[in-house]
Amino acid sequence: MKKLLVLLYLILASWSVRAQQDSVRVSLLTCAPGTEIYELFGHTAIRYENPAEGKDLVFNYGIFSFNTPNFVLRFVKGETDYRLGVVPYSYFEGEYAVRGSSVYQQTLNLTDEEKQKIWDLLEENYRPGNRIYRYNYFYDNCTTRARDQIERSIQGKVVYSSVNWHKTFRGIVHEFTKGSPWNELGIDLCLGAEADKPIDIRQQMFAPFYMRYFAQDAYIQTPDG
């Protein structure tokens, strides 16, 4: 009887752990654009939910200081320091609700090990010595950082769908600045000739809504193919 009770306890404990793991959810958040120059392109963040531990957090690589001298110029030239911030989802969602911007959520189909891995990566990134980074408008921003952390957590390779369009950095910028001619002019003056060269799918993901588009049909190719 004693052995049977021990076995039953182990089975129930295993089921409990499994249920807790299954309840963890990791999502890519994409936020609609606003009117300020740093809001024109939208925003990207990662949501981590673990109800068993009472966690519903947003990891946001888009935190910066308005007190930076010549902020707009430095923003466009990629000379601004950004940092990773962590807030409860309710605060994050509330901020966008106040300004009337939608927040879109794409839940990622991750294994338990991958969910733990991304938590470990984000926690490591949030350490005081790691959370600040030199922002680059095209190559290292809130969207590319979120994408890269997700990809690092995955056991395999993320495959994105191909497209038949041809884009440039400047062309994508103009898609989001067409309603703000003065901001568009200011950004254009700061962009070099590189902004007019054709860019591949991965480079297009610097823009939050392009990242959202490519994420919707992406799939994971496991190590065994």
Side-chain angles (χ1 to χ4, degrees), residues 107-156:
T107 301
L108 307 177
N109 183 20
L110 304 181
T111 65
D112 295 336
E113 292 77 13
E114 290 166 345
K115 293 173 184 177
Q116 183 61 49
K117 179 67 179 296
I118 196 168
W119 171 259
D120 293 341
L121 288 170
L122 292 170
E123 194 174 39
E124 173 70 18
N125 239 197
Y126 189 60
R127 292 184 179 181
N130 300 336
R131 65 182 64 162
I132 296 175
Y133 71 99
R134 175 50 58 96
Y135 171 92
N136 183 283
Y137 188 67
F138 293 135
Y139 297 108
D140 196 356
N141 62 25
C142 64
T143 303
T144 63
R145 287 252 162 176
R147 176 201 62 195
D148 293 350
Q149 293 294 60
I150 291 169
E151 289 181 349
R152 289 188 187 109
S153 72
I154 289 171
Q155 298 174 358

Side-chain angles (χ1 to χ4, degrees), residues 61-134:
Y61 285 95
I63 307 298
F64 58 85
S65 172
F66 287 102
N67 297 324
T68 303
N70 303 312
F71 171 76
V72 173
L73 178 62
R74 293 170 66 89
F75 169 80
V76 174
K77 293 174 67 178
E79 297 177 352
T80 302
D81 285 334
Y82 272 49
R83 66 179 175 85
L84 171 63
V86 183
V87 296
Y89 175 74
S90 58
Y91 292 3
F92 183 86
E93 181 188 40
E95 180 180 346
Y96 284 90
V98 166
R99 80 177 198 197
S101 294
S102 300
V103 177
Y104 303 92
Q105 177 167 310
Q106 293 169 295
T107 301
L108 307 177
N109 183 20
L110 304 181
T111 65
D112 295 336
E113 292 77 13
E114 290 166 345
K115 293 173 184 177
Q116 183 61 49
K117 179 67 179 296
I118 196 168
W119 171 259
D120 293 341
L121 288 170
L122 292 170
E123 194 174 39
E124 173 70 18
N125 239 197
Y126 189 60
R127 292 184 179 181
N130 300 336
R131 65 182 64 162
I132 296 175
Y133 71 99
R134 175 50 58 96

Side-chain angles (χ1 to χ4, degrees), residues 4 95 100 184 214:
L4 179 59
E95 180 180 346
E184 183 174 287
F214 288 116

Side-chain angles (χ1 to χ4, degrees), residues 28-40:
L28 182 72
L29 301 180
T30 306
C31 308
T35 57
E36 299 293 339
I37 187 170
Y38 51 85
E39 300 172 341
L40 293 176

